[in-house]
Amino acid sequence: LYVPGRFKMAGQSIGGDSPPTSNGVFNNNQTYTGCAVDSNGNVFGSDIATAQGAFPPPSSGRLVEWFAPNYTSYCIVYGPTAGGAGPHHTDGTGGLAQPGTMTLADNGDLLVPNVGTSSVLRFARSSMPPKASACPGGIYPRRKVQVSTFVKGLSFPAGIAKDPTCDCFAISSYIGDPAIRWVTKNGGPEPGRVSVPGETIAQLGTDANSYNPFGLAFAPDGTLYFIDIHVTCKDNMVSEGCGPADYGGRAMKVTFSGGRPSVPTVVHAGFDFPTSVTVCVPATQ
């Protein structure tokens, strides 16, 4: 899946809409971290664009839709509206600000964490294009998109997933306490779940056993899996070179008893900046 354009790198037969660096290589300006599939089989992807750890994150992010059944037609549902390169304003301003891994609400609305607004945004599915012909030119008119705030006041929200045991949602924050919290299907605090603790900015990178959740997913029995991007700081100084540790990323697991989470345990370690996780049940999928 890609957004076609005039920029081709060496060896490519099809170009994207994000220009390469002066050396002709990938420029980190188009990076998809999350996806969701609606009831029609259309695929949505969140592009963090130039928000590669910068804070405050730039508003160059995009929500892109590809249409079933062949996925060769695309639509930039929400993205930059000024500056940047080409007709899509690639790497411009006015779009999302570091969107994270997403999920669908019960009615098909798209729930998208957005670091720049410290919130999870809700995109009304009824306001988005059901097929390619509804998005001529590949850019959807902003006036047609209905966006509201599902949850606000979050610290670095990175992912959201449906918890099958409580008809509620878990939201991850890679910096802040709590690291994972639960909300109802309406976005309010979920009374039946206790949050998973996290680390504040002042504590960032000072404890080798800490974790920084990004993507997350639930097994059918309610077991929670999440990706720890494992942020560290040079000489344990928050202002000095903080970022994901080389090959420090981990997949982690949380179980529950009476709505209370266990201490997260490591399923597998040694990943180099992982972002996302999902659960597949072969017997039913």
Side-chain angles (χ1 to χ4, degrees):
L1 299 178
Y2 66 100
V3 176
R6 69 180 189 270
F7 302 107
K8 294 182 182 179
M9 288 185 279
Q12 290 184 336
S13 60
I14 301 173
D17 72 334
S18 183
T21 66
S22 58
N23 295 325
V25 297
F26 178 64
N27 65 358
N28 289 338
N29 289 347
Q30 187 171 244
T31 304
Y32 294 93
T33 56
C35 61
V37 184
D38 72 6
S39 59
N40 296 321
N42 296 336
V43 173
F44 290 87
S46 57
D47 173 18
I48 65 173
T50 56
Q52 303 287 336
F55 191 84
S59 58
S60 54
R62 307 190 290 187
L63 175 64
V64 183
E65 180 179 6
W66 293 270
F67 299 96
N70 53 21
Y71 306 106
T72 57
S73 299
Y74 71 94
C75 181
I76 300 172
V77 176
Y78 198 98
T81 56
H88 302 157
H89 300 290
T90 307
D91 309 334
T93 60
L96 296 172
Q98 194 173 316
T101 63
M102 64 183 80
T103 194
L104 297 174
D106 292 344
N107 68 346
D109 288 356
L110 206 60
L111 305 177
V112 183
N114 193 51
V115 170
T117 55
S118 302
S119 65
V120 174
L121 303 178
R122 184 170 191 149
F123 289 80
R125 184 65 186 95
S126 59
S127 72
M128 293 188 283
K131 52 187 178 181
S133 60
C135 187
I139 303 177
Y140 200 55
R142 178 68 64 88
R143 68 181 185 279
K144 292 186 176 182
V145 185
Q146 297 175 16
V147 186
S148 59
T149 299
F150 180 60
V151 184
K152 62 181 179 180
L154 303 175
S155 173
F156 297 89
I160 183 169
K162 181 72 176 291
D163 186 334
T165 66
C166 62
D167 195 25
C168 58
F169 295 89
I171 302 172
S172 64
S173 294
Y174 59 88
I175 302 174
D177 186 17
I180 303 173
R181 72 184 72 201
W182 275 255
V183 298
T184 66
K185 60 183 178 181
N186 297 317
E190 169 55 50
R193 288 289 182 275
V194 176
S195 299
V196 175
E199 60 179 359
T200 64
I201 290 180
Q203 299 169 322
L204 189 62
T206 59
D207 182 356
N209 295 318
S210 64
Y211 43 81
N212 306 95
F214 206 93
L216 66 169
F218 287 90
D221 66 355
T223 300
L224 170 65
Y225 296 91
F226 70 86
I227 289 297
D228 165 30
I229 61 173
H230 210 64
V231 176
T232 59
C233 301
K234 183 179 179 180
D235 299 325
N236 289 339
M237 297 294 291
V238 172
S239 61
E240 294 291 334
C242 294
D246 291 343
Y247 298 100
R250 303 180 293 180
M252 304 192 74
K253 179 175 73 172
V254 178
T255 57
F256 298 87
S257 177
R260 303 189 68 87
S262 67
V263 174
T265 58
V266 178
V267 175
H268 191 81
F271 294 108
D272 195 21
F273 201 177
T275 60
S276 310
V277 64
T278 191
V279 170
C280 179
V281 183
T284 60
Q285 293 176 273

